Amino acid sequence: MKNFGIREALSTLGIRKNNLGVSTGKKWYKSNGPLLESYSPVDGKLIGSVYAGDEKTFDQVVDKSTAAYKEWRKWPAPKRGEVVRQLGEALRKYKEPLGKLVSYEMGKSYQEGLGEVQEMIDICDFAVGLSRQLHGLTMHSERPLHRMYEQWHPIGVVGIISAFNFPVAVWSWNTMLAWICGDTCIWKPSEKTPLCSIACQNIVNEVFEKNGVPEGVSCIVNGNFVIGQLMAKDERVALISATGSVRMGKAVAKTVSERLGRTLLELGGNNAIIITENANIDMAIIGATFGAVGTAGQRCTSTRRLIIHKSIFEEVKNRLSKAYGQLRIGNPLDIQNHVGPLIDVQAVKTYKDALKKVKLEGGTFVVEGGVLKGKGYESGCYVKPAIAEVKNEFEIVQHETFAPILYLIRYSTLEEAIELQNGVKQGLSSAIMTTRMQDMEKFLSSEGSDCGIANVNIGTSGAEIGGAFGGEKETGGGRESGSDAWKVYMRRQTNTINYGNSLPLAQGIKFDL
């Protein structure tokens, strides 16, 4: 394994000081859009800048992507899968430099950066197999000498709006499946992590050029919310897959629904772990700590709430406090550190405001938070993970704060714990720590967790490619990645074939001439 320095990583990935931010594959576009400057939250230094798209270049990109779709959909799905297989191999080649860029531009630990690229590799592998399994059903017809079946066709241009916290993985969840389904993709990355998108497009271009993939199958349009609005309004974009805040998701859903388009929404989470009186506390402490402080609490699956049985509440609280005392906060490229910075100073302000609200509402801090200053913390984005004892009905607890703040809540009965767990507007990830089979099964039953993800004896954070990822309620209801999530990128068509010499009608209707 080569130890890439950040400058060497940037050079390897084709990142320059100034970069064009709009591409249809073979072509990079100049535009009059705003200049996006990417400053690392690690050290506050300028990494590079990106010339973002404007309405004119966006329109050109959609035209090119629409034209490419008409050719790409004709490629046999296994042939499209072969291209994705080669892309997976390219990502293996670039895993270290891309993982380092993810860590440096976003602020997550280098191990998490490498893990994010591994997710990209895994979804490539998943998509390759899937390219030979885009199957439909065959049904028996009520009419003699008739056959019914269903098949799936690509839907066209897919627009992808991604968030800063997973600057490459979530894009890949969508594109790899959409591509093997026969769709083309336009990516609007987060304006906070634009360089990661440039790196990904460079890797894709290298593979696509070798395989003669039509220009426009993979497109990016960097920019601010204006590009997202243009994408949501454009009737040529069949599906909008948007990851981000609930506020953003509601705006996208409203705009797209007005033109009767499709949406796939992955929005906020307010995830809880229930720790029962018979839980393995050692496992619970590890799961809760990583879930709360991993990516500095900036995952949609981050653990926000611990719902702890009253008989073990003090023990869990004390052990968590001890575990937090061992956390090392600092440069995420140093593998000895557990916690890196928040994405920017605005995120730090949100964190500080949340701490104030906890106190105003009557919460008690078990581990005090605060902003770190001094050598190594010059960017102003490093904060201390905090723990507070609260009540579930506190307004601040009801909202997702994208920061490492963990709330502790007592419960008496499992029914009460499940009610507390479900007693928020978000419904992404959930977990229970228990050694009692009845508790596990109740938590997973229809009267248990109301989230899209429900785990037993693991935390809320982290998900494998094989399972469909997504949540309910204000989380948006979307599903990405594994299982049958591929169907959202396709349209279902029911077919009936009459191979007889007469024309009987359904439901026995008579119509004789």
Side-chain angles (χ1 to χ4, degrees):
M1 180 179 285
K2 185 175 181 179
N3 185 19
F4 282 84
I6 187 60
R7 293 302 159 191
E8 186 180 3
L10 292 171
S11 176
T12 301
L13 296 167
I15 303 298
R16 301 174 177 85
K17 184 177 180 181
N18 296 302
N19 304 270
L20 297 179
V22 180
S23 173
T24 53
K26 296 178 182 178
K27 182 177 180 181
W28 291 85
Y29 292 78
K30 293 183 179 179
S31 74
N32 295 316
L35 182 68
L36 303 178
E37 293 184 319
S38 179
Y39 290 88
S40 173
V42 175
D43 54 20
K45 294 179 180 179
L46 178 66
I47 312 172
S49 60
V50 174
Y51 293 96
D54 55 15
E55 187 169 358
K56 180 181 177 181
T57 50
F58 174 78
D59 189 63
Q60 291 172 322
V61 167
V62 179
D63 276 345
K64 184 65 71 172
S65 191
T66 301
Y69 165 66
K70 294 177 181 178
E71 182 180 347
W72 182 240
R73 65 184 176 183
K74 297 177 185 177
W75 286 40
K79 186 178 179 182
R80 298 191 295 255
E82 167 58 18
V83 176
V84 171
R85 185 195 68 79
Q86 293 178 36
L87 183 53
E89 291 303 307
L91 287 168
R92 287 175 170 88
K93 172 184 173 183
Y94 290 107
K95 180 177 178 178
E96 292 175 56
L98 185 55
K100 184 145 287 187
L101 174 58
V102 168
S103 178
Y104 189 61
E105 188 173 31
M106 185 268 146
K108 64 176 58 176
S109 74
Y110 182 41
Q111 286 297 314
E112 289 181 273
L114 292 173
E116 185 166 345
V117 181
Q118 186 61 49
E119 280 193 54
M120 302 174 77
I121 296 167
D122 293 345
I123 196 64
C124 285
D125 291 349
F126 180 87
V128 172
L130 188 62
S131 68
R132 295 179 181 270
Q133 300 179 67
L134 302 176
H135 48 71
L137 299 173
T138 299
M139 291 79 72
H140 287 278
S141 173
E142 66 184 61
R143 290 167 283 186
L145 305 180
H146 282 60
R147 180 165 68 87
M148 291 179 64
Y149 71 99
E150 66 180 27
Q151 58 180 333
W152 295 83
H153 297 300
I155 57 174
V157 179
V158 173
I160 301 160
I161 301 172
S162 64
F164 73 86
N165 59 332
F166 281 86
V168 296
V170 172
W171 165 76
S172 72
W173 290 1
N174 286 273
T175 51
M176 304 311 162
L177 296 192
W179 284 339
I180 63 100
C181 289
D183 301 319
T184 58
C185 296
I186 302 174
W187 181 19
K188 188 270 177 206
S190 169
E191 57 267 40
K192 297 182 180 183
T193 51
L195 298 176
C196 285
S197 72
I198 306 298
C200 288
Q201 185 74 357
N202 287 338
I203 295 170
V204 170
N205 290 349
E206 182 181 305
V207 174
F208 278 20
E209 185 176 356
K210 290 178 182 177
N211 289 272
V213 174
E215 180 186 357
V217 172
S218 178
C219 304
I220 61 170
V221 185
N222 272 282
N224 55 24
F225 69 94
V226 173
I227 299 299
Q229 290 176 336
L230 291 172
M231 186 180 286
K233 292 176 181 178
D234 201 309
E235 294 184 354
R236 294 170 294 177
V237 182
L239 168 71
I240 300 292
S241 175
T243 303
S245 67
V246 173
R247 178 184 57 79
M248 180 275 294
K250 287 181 177 180
V252 168
K254 181 179 179 181
T255 301
V256 177
S257 65
E258 286 176 348
R259 61 177 175 87
L260 296 181
R262 296 191 191 188
T263 56
L264 191 169
L265 302 176
E266 297 289 358
L267 310 176
N270 194 346
N271 316 294
I273 299 176
I274 296 173
I275 304 179
T276 69
E277 66 271 34
N278 49 48
N280 181 323
I281 296 181
D282 291 339
M283 289 172 58
I285 296 299
I286 294 172
T289 302
F290 175 74
V293 307
T295 323
Q298 296 172 113
R299 293 186 178 207
C300 52
T301 55
S302 290
T303 305
R304 310 288 177 201
R305 298 173 295 145
L306 285 190
I307 302 170
I308 309 164
H309 192 270
K310 62 181 182 181
S311 65
I312 58 169
F313 186 90
E314 292 301 323
E315 179 183 0
V316 171
K317 181 175 73 172
N318 292 335
R319 291 187 60 175
L320 275 172
S321 180
K322 183 178 179 180
Y324 270 51
Q326 299 173 20
L327 292 175
R328 291 184 294 273
I329 307 167
N331 188 325
L333 297 179
D334 182 346
I335 60 173
Q336 300 301 315
N337 291 326
H338 300 103
V339 185
L342 294 177
I343 185 64
D344 55 25
V345 293
Q346 179 57 48
V348 173
K349 181 181 183 304
T350 301
Y351 160 85
K352 292 166 64 178
D353 289 345
L355 296 181
K356 291 177 183 176
K357 289 180 182 177
V358 169
K359 288 186 177 180
L360 286 174
E361 293 193 66
T364 303
F365 280 100
V366 177
V367 175
E368 293 280 349
V371 180
L372 293 169
K373 299 179 181 179
K375 186 176 180 180
Y377 304 128
E378 289 87 355
S379 69
C381 297
Y382 292 87
V383 302
K384 298 177 184 177
I387 302 175
E389 188 174 342
V390 299
K391 293 182 179 178
N392 202 58
E393 59 266 27
F394 285 3
E395 183 183 9
I396 188 61
V397 177
Q398 290 288 310
H399 292 87
E400 178 188 43
T401 301
F402 237 45
I405 304 174
L406 181 62
Y407 301 121
L408 308 186
I409 302 163
R410 299 172 188 261
Y411 83 90
S412 298
T413 67
L414 183 60
E415 290 76 15
E416 179 191 1
I418 291 173
E419 186 175 348
L420 290 167
Q421 136 73 40
N422 296 341
V424 293
K425 291 183 178 181
Q426 308 82 3
L428 179 53
S429 187
S430 59
I432 189 170
M433 295 287 184
T434 184
T435 55
R436 189 169 180 263
M437 183 184 68
Q438 290 90 339
D439 293 348
M440 299 179 193
E441 293 296 337
K442 185 162 188 174
F443 180 73
L444 299 176
S445 73
S446 60
E447 57 183 307
S449 171
D450 64 359
C451 294
I453 299 170
N455 299 325
V456 175
N457 290 330
I458 62 172
T460 62
S461 189
E464 295 183 30
I465 287 303
F469 180 89
E472 302 300 324
K473 301 189 293 188
E474 282 197 351
T475 301
R479 293 296 185 276
E480 294 172 318
S481 186
S483 185
D484 64 348
W486 60 271
K487 291 181 178 179
V488 75
Y489 306 99
M490 306 196 83
R491 59 182 176 89
R492 186 197 310 252
Q493 184 181 79
T494 301
N495 308 113
T496 305
I497 299 173
N498 177 2
Y499 57 93
N501 295 315
S502 62
L503 188 62
L505 301 177
Q507 291 83 47
I509 294 172
K510 299 296 182 182
F511 187 77
D512 297 325
L513 294 176

